[in-house]
């Protein structure tokens, strides 16, 4: 599994289409794992790519391109056609042929539903596997952090009416990332995401968006924590998709960055 | 809105509605074809790749995730990848470029000195807004956008061409993308 930092650096190439097949698949798997930072960057770059594409002088393909395409999809076995071509009703169709057609339609519909279910399950499994691998990688980072001297834990407590929610963040003054364990968070509405903030010099600074699983949990690697000791507090709010530059939504978690006293040199 | 129309068409395509595919083809084929021909440079390859793009829309629409951006962004990303794949395939001949892109000079960039290849790229673009945003980039940012987006070069190819460290190319491209986004007020769900 490709590391987040590497995947993030490859997003522009991924969108612009210049990656090798192998790298493309690795970045795709990373995105499928649900990485919020990379997904947000993908969204930004791909929308810019549309604007750059729209700037190219527009030309229209020859009409036979469409005709060939439509012939191909008509013979495509992936779907049975739902196209109702006209209002024509065949006057000679007998009751037997109608019954046979209905049976065929029923069978085709069942088959399509079955195929659709299998496809969905495969996609879900792919996402689950990618997420497990990603979680495993973050767990390793967390174990490494916890094993270092001078690491400390920050408790984030749930804010009413979500006081059952909580999170723990592992930090170390010499490491430029942190790891957060988030628990018992309600699933956000489709158009919202959770956003994690740190307070620096009294100002909130976003360090990323995240989702929680069906169990309300998330395991997050927080990148670019350059000076953990300068962080005054943490908070999690709910914000519109894509996040905001300042917190505006309801607060779900909050906690002060209470560092333990550093070991004495003597 | 066009983005919402795309979404509705995608929903119908997922249900196997062939008319919806014909509609999205009518709606988006000029953009796809123009982008492909700007990359592959010849009509025969451009037509084949355009067909391949819409076949994939038909066969793989379930892979499109609206949480990751608009349907058009998904199509454009796929289009670039398939077109660049074509230029890297065995049968492709780079000398087959025989299509001239129409030239429409915009006032925003006409005052620049077009003495280098990067500025030649600006001349080929027809959107005044994008040309203006590109023209406002500094030379280094414009150069990496040109090589990456319009010349379809990978980070390592750009690094070799510019004789710059790979890390410098990556960070410069990221900065250029960010400047362009700010300049164009890019927003999620870009519409046309």
């Amino acid at each position: 599994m490709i590391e987040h930092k590497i995947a993030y650096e490859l997003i522009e190439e991924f969108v612009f289409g210049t990656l090798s097949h192998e790298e493309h698949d690795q970045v795709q798997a990373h995105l499928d794992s649900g990485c919020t930072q990379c997904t947000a960057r993908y969204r930004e770059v791909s929308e810019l790519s549309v604007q750059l594409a729209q700037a190219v002088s527009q030309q229209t393909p020859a009409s036979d391109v469409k005709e060939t395409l439509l012939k191909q999809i008509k013979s495509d076995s992936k779907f049975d056609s739902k196209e109702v071509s006209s209002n024509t009703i065949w006057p000679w169709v007998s009751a037997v042929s109608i019954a046979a057609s209905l049976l065929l339609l029923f069978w085709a519909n069942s088959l399509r539903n079955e195929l659709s279910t299998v496809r969905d399950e495969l996609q879900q499994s792919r996402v689950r596997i990618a997420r497990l691998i990603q979680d495993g990688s973050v767990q390793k980072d967390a174990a490494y952090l916890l094993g270092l001297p001078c690491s400390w834990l920050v408790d984030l407590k749930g804010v009413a009416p979500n006081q059952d929610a909580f999170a723990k963040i592992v930090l170390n003054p010499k490491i430029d990332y942190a790891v957060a364990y988030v628990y018992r968070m309600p699933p956000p509405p489709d158009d919202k995401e959770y956003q994690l903030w740190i307070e620096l010099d009294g100002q909130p600074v976003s360090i990323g968006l995240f989702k929680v699983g069906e169990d309300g949990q998330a395991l997050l690697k927080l990148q670019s924590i350059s000076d953990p000791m300068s962080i005054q507090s943490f908070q999690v709010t709910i914000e519109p998709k894509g996040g905001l530059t300042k917190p505006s939504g309801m607060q779900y978690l909050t906690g002060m960055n209470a560092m333990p006293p550093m070991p004495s040199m003597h | 809105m066009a983005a919402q129309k795309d979404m509705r068409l995608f929903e119908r395509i997922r249900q196997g509605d062939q008319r919806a595919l014909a509609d999205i083809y009518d709606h988006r084929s000029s953009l796809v074809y123009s982008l492909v021909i700007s990359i592959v440079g010849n009509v025969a390859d451009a037509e084949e790749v355009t067909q391949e793009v819409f076949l994939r829309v038909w066969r793989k629409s379930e892979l499109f995730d609206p949480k990751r951006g608009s349907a058009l962004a998904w199509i454009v990303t796929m289009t670039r990848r398939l077109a660049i794949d074509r230029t890297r395939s065995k049968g492709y001949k780079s000398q087959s470029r025989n299509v001239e892109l129409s030239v429409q000079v915009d006032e925003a960039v006409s005052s620049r000195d077009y003495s280098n290849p990067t500025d030649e790229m600006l001349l080929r673009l027809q959107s005044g807004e994008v040309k203006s945003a590109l023209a406002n980039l500094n030379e280094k940012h414009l150069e990496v956008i040109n090589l990456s987006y319009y010349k379809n070069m990978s980070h390592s190819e750009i690094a070799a061409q510019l004789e710059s460290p790979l890390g410098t190319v990556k960070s410069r491209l990221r900065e250029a993308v960010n400047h362009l986004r700010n300049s164009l007020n890019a927003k999620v769900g870009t519409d046309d």
Side-chain angles (χ1 to χ4, degrees), chain A residues 29 44 63 83 100 152 154 180 212 216:
Chain A
E44 290 170 357
S63 59
E83 190 173 28
W152 74 92
V154 174
V212 294

Side-chain angles (χ1 to χ4, degrees), chain B residues 1-10 27-28 70 189 191:
Chain B
M1 280 171 66
Q4 287 170 338
K5 181 180 176 184
D6 286 339
M7 287 298 299
R8 285 195 296 273
L9 290 173
F10 260 66
H27 194 208
R28 298 302 187 188
S70 66
D191 206 345

Side-chain angles (χ1 to χ4, degrees), chain A:
Chain A
M1 182 75 169
I2 196 169
E3 281 181 23
H4 163 77
K5 194 179 168 192
I6 297 170
Y8 190 81
E9 287 184 344
L10 294 175
I11 295 293
E12 282 86 3
E13 276 198 278
F14 179 83
V15 173
F16 292 173
T18 54
L19 286 179
S20 67
H21 286 279
E22 190 187 354
E23 287 173 317
H24 176 274
D25 291 347
Q26 286 176 332
V27 176
Q28 183 69 60
H30 181 74
L31 287 169
D32 289 345
S33 75
C35 175
T36 50
Q37 267 185 301
C38 288
T39 300
R41 184 62 179 170
Y42 168 79
R43 199 161 43 211
E44 290 170 357
V45 182
S46 64
E47 297 297 347
L48 175 69
S49 177
V50 171
Q51 288 178 297
L52 294 175
Q54 285 169 331
V56 173
S57 302
Q58 298 293 290
Q59 300 179 59
T60 308
S63 59
D64 60 340
V65 177
K66 182 180 177 184
E67 286 163 22
T68 312
L69 171 73
L70 294 180
K71 272 182 201 162
Q72 272 184 282
I73 68 162
K74 274 194 196 327
S75 60
D76 198 323
S77 59
K78 178 168 179 172
F79 297 107
D80 58 325
S81 172
K82 284 191 170 181
E83 190 173 28
V84 181
S85 59
S86 70
N87 294 328
T88 310
I89 297 174
W90 301 94
W92 45 266
V93 173
S94 68
V96 174
S97 62
I98 291 172
S101 303
L102 284 172
L103 271 173
L104 269 174
L105 268 177
F106 176 74
W107 175 76
N109 200 36
S110 308
L111 197 61
R112 194 182 61 245
N113 288 340
E114 210 169 306
L115 274 172
S116 174
T117 308
V118 170
R119 203 168 46 232
D120 288 348
E121 284 172 357
L122 275 173
Q123 178 65 13
Q124 283 166 11
S125 300
R126 193 175 160 208
V127 171
R128 270 199 299 273
I129 290 167
R131 196 162 284 158
L132 282 171
I133 294 169
Q134 171 89 354
D135 282 357
S137 164
V138 181
Q139 289 278 18
K140 271 189 193 169
D141 291 328
Y144 173 69
L145 263 186
L146 285 166
L148 289 175
C150 303
S151 289
W152 74 92
L153 271 176
V154 174
D155 281 319
L156 272 63
K157 294 194 166 62
V159 178
N162 298 294
Q163 53 269 55
D164 287 346
F166 66 98
K168 290 185 180 294
I169 299 178
V170 193
L171 296 142
N172 185 287
K174 292 181 180 169
I175 304 292
D176 66 352
Y177 66 83
V179 172
Y181 294 87
V182 182
Y183 299 94
R184 297 183 191 166
M185 294 283 275
D190 285 345
D191 58 340
K192 305 270 187 186
E193 282 178 290
Y194 288 119
Q195 191 160 6
L196 180 56
W197 308 86
I198 54 176
E199 185 189 356
L200 294 172
D201 297 326
Q203 294 298 315
V205 176
S206 171
I207 51 171
L209 298 156
F210 67 94
K211 297 175 189 169
V212 294
E214 288 173 359
D215 53 4
Q217 295 183 19
L219 176 57
L220 314 166
K221 185 173 176 181
L222 313 176
Q223 304 282 350
S224 305
I225 304 285
S226 55
D227 183 9
M229 295 169 82
S230 65
I231 299 171
Q232 292 154 317
S233 65
F234 293 84
Q235 65 165 323
V236 171
T237 58
I238 193 159
E239 305 294 351
K241 281 262 178 204
L244 296 176
T245 52
K246 287 189 176 168
S248 69
M250 197 170 95
Q251 197 179 49
Y252 277 69
L253 295 168
T254 182
M256 298 301 292
N257 185 18
M259 282 170 290
M262 290 294 117
S264 164
M265 297 296 289
H266 304 289

Side-chain angles (χ1 to χ4, degrees), chain B residues 104-143:
Chain B
Q104 294 182 31
V105 184
D106 184 82
E107 280 182 14
V109 288
S110 61
S111 58
R112 286 177 70 119
D113 170 20
Y114 294 103
S115 55
N116 68 49
T118 308
D119 290 332
E120 181 200 336
M121 170 267 290
L122 285 175
L123 280 165
R124 296 206 314 258
L125 301 177
Q126 68 174 8
S127 159
E129 194 184 3
V130 172
K131 268 203 288 195
S132 178
L134 287 166
N136 284 329
L137 292 177
N138 69 36
E139 289 297 328
K140 288 183 174 175
H141 287 157
L142 185 59
E143 187 172 47

Side-chain angles (χ1 to χ4, degrees), chain B residues 52-67:
Chain B
E52 177 64 19
V53 167
F54 286 97
L55 264 181
R56 290 200 182 202
V57 169
W58 174 248
R59 291 174 178 161
K60 303 197 182 257
S61 58
E62 72 275 8
L63 296 181
F64 163 63
D65 180 356
K67 290 174 190 164

